[in-house]
Amino acid sequence: MENSMDSSRSARRTKEEKKLLRRQIKTSHTLLKHEGINTVSHPTKHLVVSNGGLGNGVSRESLLEVLKEGGTVESLLTPPAKPYAFVTYSSIEAGQNAYTFLNGRALQCQEEQSVTLYFSYVEKVDGDRGVSCALPPGLSVLEDFVSPEEEMQLLQAVDWTPDTDDVTVQKALKHRRVKHYGYEFRYDNNNVDKDKPLPGGLPAECDALLRRCLADGHISVVPDQLTVNQYQSGQGSTSGIPPHVDTHSAFEDTILSLSLGAKTVMDFKHPDGRSVAVVLPERSLLVMKGESRYLWTHGITPRKYDVVPVLEAGGSGVMTSDLSNLTLSRRGTRISLTFRKIRHTPCNCAYPSACDSQRLPSPPTVPVAEGDACRLESQYVHQVYEEISSHFSSTRHSPWPQVRDFLLSLPPGSVLADIGCGNGKYLGINPEVVSMGCDRSANLVQICIERGHEAFVSDALSVPLHNGCCDACISIAVIHHFSTQERRQAAVRELIRLLKVGGRALIYVWAMEQEYNNQKSKYLKERTTETITENGKELKTEENKPNQQEEHDGKMSSDMKCTEDGFGNATQARIHVHTNRTAFLSQDLLVPWHLKGNADKNKGAASSSTDVPVDNTSQRPVFHRFYHVFQQGELEELCFGVAGVKVLRSYHDQGNWCVELEKTHYTLSKDDIAQEIF
């Protein structure tokens, strides 16, 4: 009988050991996939605790209490939203104790649920791993902005009883209640009726708070609209708000949000995918200005627990990058007071991709047919450069170093053609070569001639020069203006036609990869502004000159090239206006150009273009230019499709893809043969 019981216990132990082994194998695969970490079989003082992560609802405090049973804990890292944690003990012996005695331990976690902890050895734990980036530009969190007494006064000022006097508008939304003062925010169109202010204005209890914000410089004008949200806590997922950007045309720049009653975590997300989780402590004031207000979405994910720093004193509000400082916090009932200033003129922010005031009435589509491509380029390339020629030329004066080096490498007496020469800034670099340029813009060609250069008007697809007449050709920031692959390749083919055998060509196009080899281009690094004086008043606007980005001064992110309608038929995608100085999300775009300077010098700019939008701050026209930005390898692939040429080198130069080509042999098309005959 006794032997039978021992056998039974042995069998049970074997099943438990098999279960433990399966769990350790699963943990090993998970770690390798998500963290790039391998588990090891030999004892170490570093262990991974499967099922012991914040993502399982295990708080740092409850896990640490169990881990201390194994020995002295040096560090505990709890990555947010992960089902595991990393513990480091003071010695290998302590690690062995934890592995032996704590494996399979049941732990009570949130909501009275139980999890089973499984331990595996790892060689080391990276304590420097981070989980968040800096606050979005223009965002700040001011902790303890109001006292507990002020908090109580503000909470009591909000009367949630049904309205009878129409002084405010109260609504019950899913999982939250909303009350509006000053103006009603309409959720059906995400805007306000500016002609129908609510009587009574904002509660008097808010006056002291707003005066302090004004005195401290957080706002420059007093808000006239207040939205109060009550986020309920309780069973199931607590309430939240979906990610959104407050409507540009509805409200001015700065938005204030005061958190009362409980803390929460607000998620901010940039269009390029970057995200930051920001802790909003009770009685803190969130200030959103500039990029954080206009470009980043913000929202609150519905959930019962938030991941927050253990130590909040002196914190900035951003979740710390120190994973040893994170735990779970149960949400309570939170009241937010969001203050805004109603906007009475169209928005003129520097973020047109998210701005409803600056969207084109009917964005163009990505062309498929040749005729569509010609019309698109005529409206969004050729006409634009004619209109902005003087202003554009004033921003183009510094040659790019590697283009200069190419030009200075040409032997004396060489014949050089600059196809798409703009204002001719490269035509005088090497005085020992015979230089000539052509451009589609007659106004830019006239500027070249006035500077003493040889230049003529021509389309880059059909240059009126003989075959093989040039020793070198350059095409700098031109080919990305062609809207189809066929036309871009035709532009390369035309360059090669002009070269002698052995002649070289240098091509630059704007790159989709504005961050390359872990280095950001100057285009991403720098956001510059210009000061315009209008009637004695200084106005700040986005500067068109992007330093070494040639004509590039816009961020792009268009829809996919082909979409489907409800019946599965292919439809053409729209090309949208995009925001400056941010990473590219797709390849076809419209880049804004804010015209400045003397309109007379711009050959009557905008006078011939009745549909050109106007910058509402400076009342100057805003034009849009088409670009196709190139992905890595795309330019080389384009050149490989042209006969009689080889790629000497290709490289990335400050946000551009570049190739140097050599003509290897002479080829004739049918049109060339006809020309030779006649």
Side-chain angles (χ1 to χ4, degrees):
M1 185 69 175
E2 199 171 306
N3 289 337
S4 176
M5 291 178 63
D6 289 340
S7 298
S8 177
R9 281 197 296 268
S10 176
R12 284 200 301 271
R13 283 197 299 270
T14 301
K15 290 179 181 179
E16 291 170 357
E17 289 170 356
K18 288 181 178 179
K19 182 178 180 180
L20 175 60
L21 181 60
R22 288 196 301 269
R23 188 64 202 187
Q24 289 173 329
I25 292 173
K26 183 177 180 181
T27 298
S28 178
H29 287 306
T30 302
L31 275 180
L32 187 61
K33 178 180 179 181
H34 294 283
E35 303 284 348
I37 297 175
N38 284 302
T39 59
V40 296
S41 57
H42 61 271
T44 72
K45 67 175 186 176
H46 310 289
L47 296 93
V48 58
V49 188
S50 181
N51 282 349
L54 298 175
N56 290 94
V58 177
S59 71
R60 174 183 177 80
E61 294 81 1
S62 60
L63 178 61
L64 190 57
E65 185 177 345
V66 172
L67 296 177
K68 287 179 179 177
E69 296 179 23
T72 303
V73 175
E74 281 189 354
S75 69
L76 173 61
L77 305 183
T78 51
K82 300 296 184 182
Y84 47 80
F86 298 97
V87 60
T88 298
Y89 283 95
S90 59
S91 65
I92 294 178
E93 290 74 19
Q96 283 181 298
N97 285 338
Y99 182 91
T100 302
F101 298 111
L102 299 181
N103 246 320
R105 168 72 69 88
L107 174 63
Q108 201 78 17
C109 59
Q110 311 297 339
E111 304 303 316
E112 304 303 321
Q113 294 180 348
S114 178
V115 298
T116 302
L117 304 179
Y118 297 98
F119 291 72
S120 299
Y121 295 116
V122 293
E123 201 64 64
K124 64 177 182 176
V125 173
D126 184 5
D128 296 328
R129 294 166 62 247
V131 297
S132 66
C133 60
L135 282 172
L139 188 76
S140 57
V141 178
L142 310 174
E143 299 188 43
D144 296 318
F145 193 77
V146 296
S147 66
E149 293 75 22
E150 290 173 309
E151 177 184 35
M152 185 61 64
Q153 292 173 0
L154 290 167
L155 289 174
Q156 292 174 349
V158 181
D159 183 5
W160 291 105
T161 59
D163 293 318
T164 57
D165 55 0
D166 293 330
V167 171
T168 66
V169 173
Q170 182 171 316
K171 293 182 179 295
L173 303 178
K174 187 177 181 180
H175 299 306
R176 62 186 170 112
R177 292 193 294 176
V178 179
K179 200 174 186 72
H180 302 291
Y181 295 84
Y183 292 83
E184 178 188 3
F185 184 80
R186 296 182 53 184
Y187 294 97
D188 56 346
N189 61 5
N190 290 325
N191 215 314
V192 293
D193 193 336
K194 301 173 184 178
D195 297 325
K196 294 182 179 179
L198 299 172
L202 275 57
E205 289 82 354
C206 298
D207 291 348
L209 168 70
L210 296 177
R211 283 197 300 269
R212 193 187 318 160
C213 291
L214 200 60
D216 292 347
H218 303 309
I219 52 176
S220 57
V221 293
V222 177
D224 53 10
Q225 197 274 338
L226 167 63
T227 296
V228 182
N229 282 280
Q230 183 186 67
Y231 299 89
Q232 303 285 349
S233 63
Q235 297 300 317
S237 296
T238 59
S239 57
I241 52 175
H244 68 283
V245 175
D246 283 42
T247 307
H248 290 206
S249 62
F251 306 111
E252 294 286 354
D253 187 355
T254 305
I255 294 175
L256 307 175
S257 184
L258 185 68
S259 295
L260 304 176
K263 73 174 70 171
T264 194
V265 171
M266 183 170 282
D267 300 306
F268 286 80
K269 189 170 184 179
H270 191 279
D272 65 12
R274 287 176 289 154
S275 61
V276 182
V278 179
V279 179
L280 305 180
E282 181 181 357
R283 301 194 307 279
S284 68
L285 181 70
L286 175 71
V287 182
M288 290 189 290
K289 295 183 178 182
E291 184 175 314
S292 65
R293 179 266 185 267
Y294 285 124
L295 186 60
W296 292 63
T297 63
H298 62 277
I300 299 175
T301 303
R303 56 189 172 219
K304 290 181 284 186
Y305 292 88
D306 283 316
V307 176
V308 299
V310 176
L311 304 175
E312 299 176 27
S316 65
V318 183
M319 287 174 56
T320 176
S321 60
D322 181 4
L323 300 188
S324 65
N325 197 36
L326 300 179
T327 190
L328 295 177
S329 172
R330 185 180 177 89
R331 285 186 180 174
T333 297
R334 172 177 170 268
I335 310 292
S336 70
L337 277 63
T338 302
F339 299 91
R340 308 177 181 95
K341 177 65 177 177
I342 298 298
R343 182 187 293 279
H344 294 284
T345 59
C347 179
N348 180 46
C349 67
Y351 310 96
S353 63
C355 184
D356 58 315
S357 292
Q358 299 184 59
R359 291 178 188 145
L360 294 180
S362 179
T365 58
V366 176
V368 177
E370 179 75 6
D372 295 334
C374 292
R375 285 187 289 272
L376 174 70
E377 293 163 20
S378 175
Q379 181 176 354
Y380 291 101
V381 181
H382 306 156
Q383 293 179 24
V384 172
Y385 280 107
E386 290 290 24
E387 300 280 13
I388 70 173
S389 57
S390 179
H391 181 203
F392 175 81
S393 177
S394 70
T395 67
R396 300 306 187 262
H397 44 75
S398 299
W400 292 351
Q402 295 207 54
V403 179
R404 177 193 290 270
D405 292 345
F406 175 85
L407 296 174
L408 292 177
S409 72
L410 300 176
S414 298
V415 176
L416 166 72
D418 184 349
I419 309 302
C421 62
N423 66 353
K425 73 175 184 179
Y426 290 114
L427 293 178
I429 295 296
N430 188 344
E432 296 185 348
V433 304
V434 178
S435 300
M436 54 185 162
C438 66
D439 199 279
R440 187 61 173 72
S441 167
N443 292 335
L444 287 173
V445 167
Q446 184 59 37
I447 292 173
C448 292
I449 294 173
E450 291 171 358
R451 294 179 174 181
H453 300 307
E454 294 290 334
F456 53 91
V457 176
S458 172
D459 193 297
L461 298 183
S462 181
V463 182
L465 294 174
H466 289 296
N467 298 337
C469 65
C470 298
D471 298 288
C473 293
I474 60 174
S475 172
I476 310 301
V478 175
I479 293 176
H480 52 220
H481 283 308
F482 289 104
S483 56
T484 66
Q485 181 179 1
E486 293 77 16
R487 292 171 66 79
R488 292 188 286 271
Q489 191 166 71
V492 176
R493 189 177 297 111
E494 184 69 355
L495 284 176
I496 302 307
R497 181 188 70 80
L498 298 175
L499 288 175
K500 301 175 182 177
V501 173
R504 293 181 293 151
L506 182 65
I507 301 174
Y508 269 57
V509 294
W510 207 3
M512 187 171 182
E513 297 83 358
Q514 290 296 303
E515 185 169 347
Y516 186 68
N517 286 341
N518 295 322
Q519 289 189 344
K520 292 183 178 181
S521 68
K522 288 187 176 181
Y523 170 73
L524 285 185
K525 289 179 181 178
E526 300 178 12
R527 176 181 293 281
T528 52
T529 58
E530 60 174 336
T531 300
I532 299 176
T533 302
E534 292 272 346
N535 300 322
K537 180 182 179 181
E538 286 191 348
L539 305 172
K540 297 291 185 180
T541 64
E542 190 71 19
E543 185 181 0
N544 290 305
K545 181 185 176 184
N547 298 309
Q548 296 189 27
Q549 272 310 123
E550 191 63 20
E551 301 109 301
H552 321 330
D553 63 346
K555 170 261 180 186
M556 49 69 55
S557 158
S558 74
D559 298 328
M560 297 297 290
K561 290 261 181 152
C562 185
T563 59
E564 290 186 356
D565 59 20
F567 301 97
N569 301 312
T571 60
Q572 288 176 269
R574 296 287 182 182
I575 307 170
H576 299 293
V577 178
H578 298 284
T579 301
N580 195 12
R581 307 296 179 189
T582 51
F584 299 156
L585 306 180
S586 188
Q587 291 189 265
D588 296 297
L589 65 141
L590 293 177
V591 176
W593 181 276
H594 296 255
L595 191 68
K596 72 168 184 175
N598 189 333
D600 294 336
K601 293 183 179 180
N602 286 294
K603 310 297 182 183
S607 62
S608 60
S609 303
T610 57
D611 295 330
V612 174
V614 172
D615 184 315
N616 296 295
T617 300
S618 63
Q619 294 302 304
R620 298 184 186 279
V622 180
F623 296 88
H624 298 92
R625 297 166 295 159
F626 172 81
Y627 282 85
H628 171 87
V629 293
F630 280 64
Q631 293 180 325
Q632 184 172 9
E634 183 179 352
L635 181 57
E636 293 95 319
E637 194 68 29
L638 202 68
C639 296
F640 291 150
V642 176
V645 65
K646 70 176 180 180
V647 176
L648 298 178
R649 65 178 180 132
S650 61
Y651 56 97
H652 188 274
D653 184 14
Q654 277 302 324
N656 299 280
W657 287 116
C658 323
V659 295
E660 183 178 343
L661 308 175
E662 180 183 323
K663 185 170 183 174
T664 57
H665 60 275
Y666 191 62
T667 59
L668 282 176
S669 67
K670 293 180 180 179
D671 292 338
D672 294 331
I673 294 173
Q675 278 187 337
E676 295 292 330
I677 294 175
F678 295 103

